[in-house]
Amino acid sequence: MAPPRPAPRRWIAHLDMDAFYASVELLRYPDLRGQPVVIGGGRRHQPETDAEGRRHYALLGDYTGRGVITTATYAARDLGVHSGMGLMKAALRAPQAVLLPTDFERYRLYSRRFKAAVAEIAPVIEDRGIDEIYIDLTEVPGAQEAVGHDPHGGVRALAQEIKNNVRAATGLSCSVGLTPNKLLSKIASDLDKPDGLCLLTADDIAERIWPLPVRRINGIGPKAGAKLEGLGIGTIGELARAEPGGLIERFGRSYGAWLHQAAHGRDERTVVTHHEPVSLSRETTFERDLHARRDRETLGTVFTQLARQVAADLQRKGYVGRTIGIKLRFEDFRTVTRDQTITAPTADAQAIRQAAGLCLKRVDLSQRIRLLGVRVANLSRA
DNA sequence: TCTGGGGTCCTAGGACCC
DNA sequence: TCTGGGGTCCTAGGACCC
């Protein structure tokens, strides 16, 4: 009888594409390499090629209108602009930066390519959106082996191989965090950006994780971060030293206990390879805030359009939904939602439009409207 | 000149049922 | 003649993430 084998050491990687949208655009416009470039806004600033074949780009400084930066190249970040920043504000800081429109179709193409390149080496992948994934390397051959004096050389080599394969398939660089769990890997992938490979074990937590601000933990956002700051807790190490009882008192039983675990780098979540969608939605922010009465016609047209888009999305993906909802954002940025559950699940544009219309009647429309959205939830397979 | 679009999960109260 | 108590569904809002 063979002796029982020890459980393999768990290795989870988090892979994050470097400045993904911007990097995809640089493949298409290599003359922009090294320059400050931001991606964002509508479709009205497409580069143009003149008779001599020279390309002309829109400049951030010339932009007017709504919208935010979705991605900025590292050169642009050096000028103080970053994703999420309003374009008009960014234009003041970096007027000479090149502005390119977003081309989601192209990013999705490269997304599929890099994920396929990873899957050739390690098939257990969890999708976390267009530009990042978790990978379970535990069972990949070689992951548990030492190489020379490096006890984790095997898994390190696998991560490097994944990076190489992504670059070969896409021409793009990525950063990888490699640790025993998702929480730590997510933090680690950020530590050596761009083109990084950061391997950490539990022994590294005190030195590498604890000095970082609490906001680096995935799940601590602006609100919780500010609240912790108010308690004199700025770093993950300070959070780790905080009394769990006190955290539970202030943040609730579930979140408080999680904060304590997270600060100690403890996370048992598995890599989930398949997800059924919970809801599908479409929304749009208007160029100018619309008035419920004066802009009734425009509003109605957009509303119908959104319902059609959601219906098309549902049909394309093969789902029907029972809960139809709307979302409005007013000029003061206040957001309200209304929804309604119907008896027969649907993916029909008219049925969605009608139910959404009933939802809209339940909202006080005295303020001007900035955003309108339509959502279908409670999904099941058609 | 503020703040996109697409999601997930959690909480909390009320309805309703057994 | 005195309000128990669970469980589930629905709705609204909020925090957070990519």
Side-chain angles (χ1 to χ4, degrees):
Chain A
M1 273 252 285
R5 211 180 284 229
R9 183 191 273 268
R10 199 164 83 118
W11 285 110
I12 308 295
H14 178 259
L15 183 153
D16 196 289
M17 299 300 290
D18 298 325
F20 184 53
Y21 298 175
S23 304
V24 171
E25 295 296 349
L26 291 183
L27 292 175
R28 172 158 45 168
Y29 307 122
D31 48 314
L32 292 178
R33 210 159 275 281
Q35 289 193 51
V37 178
V38 305
I39 317 295
R43 224 153 272 96
R44 302 180 315 287
H45 42 277
Q46 224 40 264
E48 285 170 19
T49 309
D50 65 19
E52 280 83 55
R54 277 189 302 261
R55 256 198 300 264
H56 297 277
Y57 300 100
L59 292 183
L60 183 53
D62 296 332
Y63 185 83
T64 53
R66 292 192 156 149
V68 298
I69 294 179
T70 47
T71 317
T73 59
Y74 292 94
R77 294 177 200 189
D78 289 342
L79 298 174
V81 303
H82 51 81
S83 58
M85 181 182 275
L87 283 170
M88 296 301 275
K89 182 175 175 183
L92 291 180
R93 293 202 185 183
Q96 76 277 35
V98 165
L99 175 65
L100 295 173
T102 41
D103 182 354
F104 280 104
E105 227 169 291
R106 199 170 178 85
Y107 311 147
R108 273 193 292 266
L109 171 70
Y110 277 88
S111 181
R112 286 193 294 272
R113 283 188 190 161
F114 96 74
K115 287 167 189 174
V118 175
E120 287 176 3
I121 294 163
V124 182
I125 293 173
E126 177 173 336
D127 238 295
R128 293 306 301 188
I130 199 162
D131 70 339
E132 59 181 82
I133 52 175
Y134 289 103
I135 315 161
D136 192 339
L137 295 175
T138 309
E139 304 287 346
V140 177
Q144 304 296 333
E145 285 165 23
V147 174
H149 294 298
D150 183 354
H152 313 311
V155 78
R156 195 191 301 273
L158 276 174
Q160 186 59 54
E161 202 184 325
I162 286 171
K163 280 168 59 75
N164 296 346
N165 221 34
V166 166
R167 189 186 285 276
T170 63
L172 300 172
S173 72
C174 61
S175 295
V176 173
L178 184 52
T179 83
N181 65 50
K182 287 184 179 182
L183 180 104
L184 291 172
S185 292
K186 171 77 178 166
I187 297 173
S189 67
D190 220 41
L191 293 181
D192 277 337
K193 247 180 183 308
D195 202 13
L197 200 184
C198 179
L199 184 154
L200 301 178
T201 68
D203 295 339
D204 301 312
I205 290 174
E207 192 182 330
R208 302 292 303 278
I209 302 295
W210 282 357
L212 302 172
V214 292
R215 285 293 311 276
R216 299 289 275 275
I217 292 175
N218 197 244
I220 300 183
K223 297 287 177 176
K227 195 163 158 186
L228 286 166
E229 189 75 65
L231 297 169
I233 297 172
T235 68
I236 300 175
E238 286 161 355
L239 183 59
R241 264 178 268 122
E243 277 300 324
L247 293 172
I248 286 170
E249 225 169 88
R250 291 177 176 83
F251 291 92
R253 207 218 284 283
S254 155
Y255 193 70
W258 174 80
L259 283 174
H260 179 74
Q261 294 296 331
H264 285 274
R266 295 194 274 261
D267 174 23
E268 293 300 317
R269 289 171 304 163
T270 56
V271 169
V272 179
T273 53
H274 181 76
H275 251 109
E276 283 296 304
V278 172
S279 68
L280 289 179
S281 67
R282 288 289 189 131
E283 64 185 51
T284 188
T285 297
F286 305 117
E287 275 303 318
R288 58 176 185 87
D289 299 339
L290 297 185
H291 192 278
R293 270 198 328 279
R294 280 204 299 281
D295 301 302
R296 194 167 194 283
E297 210 170 314
T298 314
L299 230 27
T301 309
V302 173
F303 203 23
T304 303
Q305 189 55 36
L306 291 168
R308 283 199 189 128
Q309 287 173 341
V310 181
D313 293 343
L314 285 164
Q315 288 162 26
R316 185 163 36 81
K317 298 183 177 177
Y319 289 95
V320 289
R322 279 184 65 223
T323 303
I324 317 293
I326 60 163
K327 169 170 154 185
L328 286 104
R329 180 166 291 148
F330 295 105
E331 48 193 331
D332 66 355
F333 223 69
R334 189 172 53 93
T335 305
V336 303
T337 61
R338 292 292 180 272
D339 58 45
Q340 183 197 0
T341 301
I342 56 180
T343 31
T346 188
D348 176 70
Q350 277 192 331
I352 294 168
R353 174 65 175 85
Q354 202 218 337
L358 292 175
C359 290
L360 188 62
K361 288 198 172 144
R362 291 159 36 209
V363 184
D364 172 20
L365 295 176
S366 41
Q367 266 193 76
R368 272 204 278 255
I369 303 162
R370 176 187 178 90
L371 169 150
L372 181 62
V374 174
R375 186 176 105 104
V376 176
N378 233 316
L379 303 184
S380 48
R381 287 225 103 100

